[in-house]
Amino acid sequence: MTSLPQTRHLATAVPGPRSQALMSRKQAAVSAGVATTMPVFARRAEGGIVEDIDGNRFIDLGSGIAVTSVGSSAPLVVDAVVDQVRSFTHTCFMVTPYESYVAVAEQLARLTPGDHEKRSALFNSGSEAVENAVKIARAFTGKDAIVAFDHAYHGRTNLTMALTAKNMPYKHGFGPFAGEVYRAPMSYPFRDVADVDGAAAARRAIAMVEAQVGADNLAAVIIEPIQGEGGFIVPAPGFLADVAAWCRANGVLFVADEVQSGFGRTGTWFAIEHEDVVPDLIVSAKGIAGGLPLSAVTGRAEIMDAVHAGGLGGTYGGNPLACAAALAVIETIEGEGYLGRAREIESVFRERLSKLQEADARIGDVRGRGAMIAVELVDPTSGNPDAALARAVAAYAHGEGVITLTCGTWGNVLRFLPPLSISDALLHEGIDVVAAGLEAAR
Ligand code: PLZ
């Protein structure tokens, strides 16, 4: 197959006629509960480009929500999966195990923070891995309660909906939710008053947990080191370390949900490394397998081994195609120097977005790390979230051939999650379009 031209190209209006026709078929066949960000259907994707069925080529600033970090159909991933699919597609690791699952667990032990002995268990989705992290934490500690944070997103299954903060669209009408889940205040530098630094925000969260839950009842605290769906919120320096230290001192497990922030996206393998914190359990998914469904819980050996034999598993968890892909993703990230590339992408965004911010009071905040960067859009006079502006800029970008996503508790954050395989030229062009969208919305 010839490679996909790495250029933005509008062959038709967006959406084009083929996508419009497919959208009607979708409406007649797919649940209305499954909505799409973009009005177009994909045909191919590679590097920094997604091509639709009408021949439009979009600059990809989304990576399918932080999944195709090494690019879609990255060569090593394609080869590894093709080789595997010819050998066997599935045996079930719980029935007839295979080497690649073990090899992925070995790689996770090497790449996750901390030099203690580790074990992993593999699953299919981020939500499923988060659920299993909770199971493991409860089995090890013999305690029930779990603390999650304001603005958290941990998934759409029943237990992970309980952990997720935002009602619409994730929870609305779907209760009752799993019990023994408590919520603590997050460190949110842009919206916290000035004297709430990381240490103060940690004291605030810990005080709430001590008063309303109690360490003796608390199995684990789960947190995204950089919140994803909640608005790319980077907690103030020291917040994560102080919360983790309190957990350690009180027999509570510290669980890092790195489903979105992990696997090289922020310029380190895991975002928590920026804060020098070693979690007890760490959850990976999304970018781990280049688009094949795979997730993992990795943690201290004594915690992971506290579960009785047969207590963890699932038909497809650690599927051989997904494991082959994950090993190829790791090889690609290391071979291509993609951790460094993520940091370069951060500099490009920071420079451009900070310049835009200087001239535009609607850009309240520019934040994030590596190839996980966002702008929070506000009403310049009140500072209130401006979701309509975020929607308008995203819609403008979509129409001009750039895939952008929004996020945030109030929907007012434009987030950028390009594949690490994108070129600087495409990044700049994508940012140009976003800037034009901001101007058009004035
Ligand atoms: N934890 C931190 O970001 C998935 C969700 C998109 P799954 N985020 C994208 C949507 O609208 O469903 C996510 C995450 C964090 C857990 C999850 C859940 O991962 O693979 O979607 O189950």
Side-chain angles (χ1 to χ4, degrees):
M1 203 193 234
T2 56
S3 65
L4 186 58
Q6 294 296 298
T7 48
R8 179 170 65 113
H9 174 69
L10 293 178
T12 66
V14 176
R18 290 182 174 168
S19 280
Q20 282 181 36
L22 250 180
M23 207 45 99
S24 315
R25 278 175 58 198
K26 172 189 175 284
Q27 263 153 25
V30 178
S31 162
V34 185
T36 72
T37 302
M38 298 286 294
V40 300
F41 283 76
R43 176 161 66 193
R44 290 168 67 192
E46 189 186 313
I49 294 286
V50 175
E51 184 183 58
D52 78 5
I53 53 175
D54 290 289
N56 298 303
R57 290 196 299 275
F58 295 84
I59 298 176
D60 185 6
L61 301 184
S63 304
I65 324 188
V67 171
T68 52
S69 303
V70 295
S72 205
S73 303
L76 294 183
V77 173
V78 172
D79 290 349
V81 172
V82 167
D83 278 355
Q84 180 59 48
V85 81
R86 287 190 198 285
S87 313
F88 62 95
T89 50
H90 173 83
T91 60
C92 187
F93 190 77
M94 300 182 305
V95 178
T96 323
Y98 35 85
E99 182 182 352
S100 57
Y101 186 119
V102 178
V104 169
E106 288 166 349
Q107 292 294 337
L108 285 166
R110 176 172 74 88
L111 299 172
T112 52
D115 48 17
H116 50 279
E117 207 179 320
K118 296 170 197 157
R119 308 275 189 267
S120 288
L122 305 184
F123 305 97
N124 301 287
S125 68
S127 307
E128 193 188 358
V130 169
E131 291 239 358
N132 277 278
V134 170
K135 283 167 63 173
I136 293 162
R138 286 176 171 161
F140 175 74
T141 60
K143 300 189 274 185
D144 296 333
I146 306 292
V147 161
F149 286 83
D150 286 332
H151 313 290
Y153 183 91
H154 297 291
R156 292 177 181 269
T157 57
N158 186 264
L159 173 56
T160 59
M161 273 193 295
L163 296 169
T164 290
K166 189 174 173 176
N167 175 48
M168 207 52 162
Y170 307 124
K171 303 171 75 165
H172 182 74
F174 297 144
F177 304 110
E180 284 310 308
V181 171
Y182 300 86
R183 195 163 307 286
M186 180 64 181
S187 164
Y188 190 162
F190 177 61
R191 294 204 171 268
D192 271 337
V193 289
D195 58 347
V196 182
D197 60 5
R203 280 195 302 275
R204 179 175 67 186
I206 291 163
M208 182 265 140
V209 172
E210 285 181 335
Q212 297 186 23
V213 189
D216 290 350
N217 303 307
L218 183 57
V221 166
I222 181 161
I223 190 161
E224 299 154 86
I226 298 177
Q227 290 184 319
E229 305 305 310
F232 281 28
I233 300 166
V234 186
F239 174 76
L240 293 169
D242 284 3
V243 171
W246 179 85
C247 287
R248 203 172 315 114
N250 288 279
V252 173
L253 299 188
F254 183 87
V255 183
D257 178 347
E258 294 251 15
V259 167
Q260 190 154 167
S261 58
F263 251 77
R265 177 140 296 273
T266 68
T268 49
W269 280 100
F270 293 93
I272 194 110
E273 292 171 59
H274 297 286
E275 293 292 322
D276 272 331
V277 173
V278 176
D280 298 303
L281 300 178
I282 188 159
V283 183
S284 308
K286 290 189 184 281
I288 191 175
L292 278 87
L294 186 71
S295 62
V297 180
T298 304
R300 295 183 188 281
E302 66 275 20
I303 299 171
M304 298 295 293
D305 285 343
V307 181
H308 52 278
L312 303 176
T315 305
Y316 292 116
N319 170 271
L321 302 177
C323 286
L327 295 171
V329 162
I330 294 165
E331 199 183 330
T332 303
I333 291 175
E334 292 186 324
E336 300 287 334
Y338 275 154
L339 300 186
R341 180 62 192 144
R343 294 190 289 267
E344 285 169 16
I345 290 173
E346 173 173 353
S347 333
V348 171
F349 272 112
R350 275 201 183 281
E351 206 188 304
R352 294 285 313 273
L353 297 174
S354 306
K355 272 214 189 85
L356 289 176
Q357 186 187 24
E358 276 164 31
D360 190 344
R362 298 170 304 169
I363 301 182
D365 196 22
V366 176
R367 60 176 178 252
R369 285 192 207 277
M372 184 174 186
I373 298 284
V375 292
E376 176 160 354
L377 302 178
V378 299
D379 176 325
T381 40
S382 62
N384 289 338
D386 192 347
L389 178 59
R391 270 196 307 274
V393 177
Y396 178 94
H398 299 164
E400 292 295 319
V402 179
I403 301 175
T404 53
L405 308 173
T406 59
C407 64
T409 294
W410 302 287
N412 65 319
V413 179
L414 271 178
R415 58 171 154 172
F416 306 110
L417 290 162
L420 305 176
S421 53
I422 199 169
S423 68
D424 275 0
L426 285 181
L427 278 184
H428 281 290
E429 195 176 330
I431 299 167
D432 289 342
V433 169
V434 169
L438 280 162
E439 281 315 305
R442 260 192 210 280

